[in-house]
Amino acid sequence: MSRIEYVQLPGLRMAYRAFGPADGRPLVALHGGGTAGTTWSGLAGALDGVRTYAPDLRGFGATDRPGRYGLELVRDDVLAFLDAVSLPRVTLLGHSSGAVAAYLLAQAHPERVAALVLAEPPPPVPLDLRLPDRPAVKPPYDWAARAAAVAELNDPPPEWWERLTQITSPTLLVGGGPASHLPQHELARMADRIPTARLVGIDGGHAVHTERPAEFHQAVRNFLTTTVG
């Protein structure tokens, strides 16, 4: 496991881990709710010639818990992280709510995103997601961060959908198939709206990157060979 490092961003200190050669192609991987950057260690080990940066997002893991949460705030944190570690242009990968932050960044700052991978991204349409029961034992994240994300995903701003057409980078969208709680037909509509997106289905459910890691890693490798980062 890579050692944990920290950078100071506006309003919080962010923890992250970096895997792979220092001169490798930069890839920033954003975790979903209930996890942290360590979820990407397997992917990082499966990618040759790639420098993978895996931050703990605000409220999660070893990153500060500032009490203010929202996916646009996460987007802004990630942009500040890119500046803090001197990454002008990256492959950006995200799972679940992390994928939302990724596509929001690709919409707002397309010049910073060379390629985009969205694993089971909640589509920016009204959803009916249920917040899991609060754990009896204190989780390794701020519960308010997870609650805020679910509320926002259930009632996303309309411009999130409208601005999908502003994504200019090559995009791989991975759906988890029938076992996922996300509406797969909406993921297909989402992929159709992103000008350069390709949709791949892997029957692993919502946590496709951990339930079917070999297939997911291969899909990412195949995609990276066709893009320039």
Side-chain angles (χ1 to χ4, degrees):
M1 179 64 68
S2 177
R3 68 184 177 90
I4 196 164
E5 301 183 59
Y6 296 90
V7 289
Q8 184 64 47
L9 306 182
L12 60 79
R13 187 179 73 154
M14 176 172 277
Y16 74 98
R17 293 173 176 82
F19 307 84
D23 61 350
R25 173 179 179 172
L27 181 149
V28 175
L30 309 179
H31 64 83
T35 62
T38 51
T39 194
W40 299 115
S41 59
L43 173 67
L47 300 178
D48 292 330
V50 174
R51 178 72 163 177
T52 300
Y53 297 81
D56 294 346
L57 302 178
R58 72 164 49 212
F60 290 84
T63 289
D64 287 347
R65 303 178 182 187
R68 293 181 61 240
Y69 299 108
L71 293 171
E72 292 182 351
L73 288 173
V74 176
R75 173 200 63 194
D76 295 345
D77 290 342
V78 175
L79 180 63
F81 174 78
L82 298 183
D83 291 340
V85 296
S86 301
L87 297 175
R89 188 167 165 85
V90 300
T91 296
L92 190 58
L93 179 150
H95 170 250
S96 192
S97 57
V100 176
Y103 71 65
L104 292 178
L105 181 55
Q107 291 174 358
H109 298 280
E111 74 283 357
R112 306 298 296 269
V113 182
L116 182 64
V117 180
L118 304 174
E120 276 283 294
V125 298
L127 298 172
D128 189 23
L129 304 179
R130 186 183 69 83
L131 184 66
D133 293 336
R134 189 166 186 158
V137 177
K138 186 176 182 180
Y141 54 85
D142 189 339
W143 184 255
R146 194 164 190 189
V150 170
E152 203 165 17
L153 296 175
N154 282 336
D155 188 21
E159 58 267 26
W160 290 6
W161 175 266
E162 295 162 6
R163 292 173 183 166
L164 290 174
T165 57
Q166 297 179 13
I167 296 173
T168 60
S169 58
T171 301
L172 173 66
L173 197 156
V174 180
S180 171
H181 65 280
L182 294 181
Q184 300 295 293
H185 70 282
E186 293 288 3
L187 296 189
R189 288 182 64 231
M190 186 178 173
D192 286 342
R193 189 161 177 80
I194 299 173
T196 56
R198 178 164 60 93
L199 176 64
V200 170
I202 300 174
D203 289 337
H206 187 56
V208 61
H209 64 300
T210 55
E211 292 297 321
R212 299 288 290 274
E215 293 94 329
F216 180 76
H217 297 166
Q218 188 62 54
V220 174
R221 283 195 298 266
N222 292 344
F223 174 68
L224 292 181
T225 62
T226 66
T227 63
V228 176

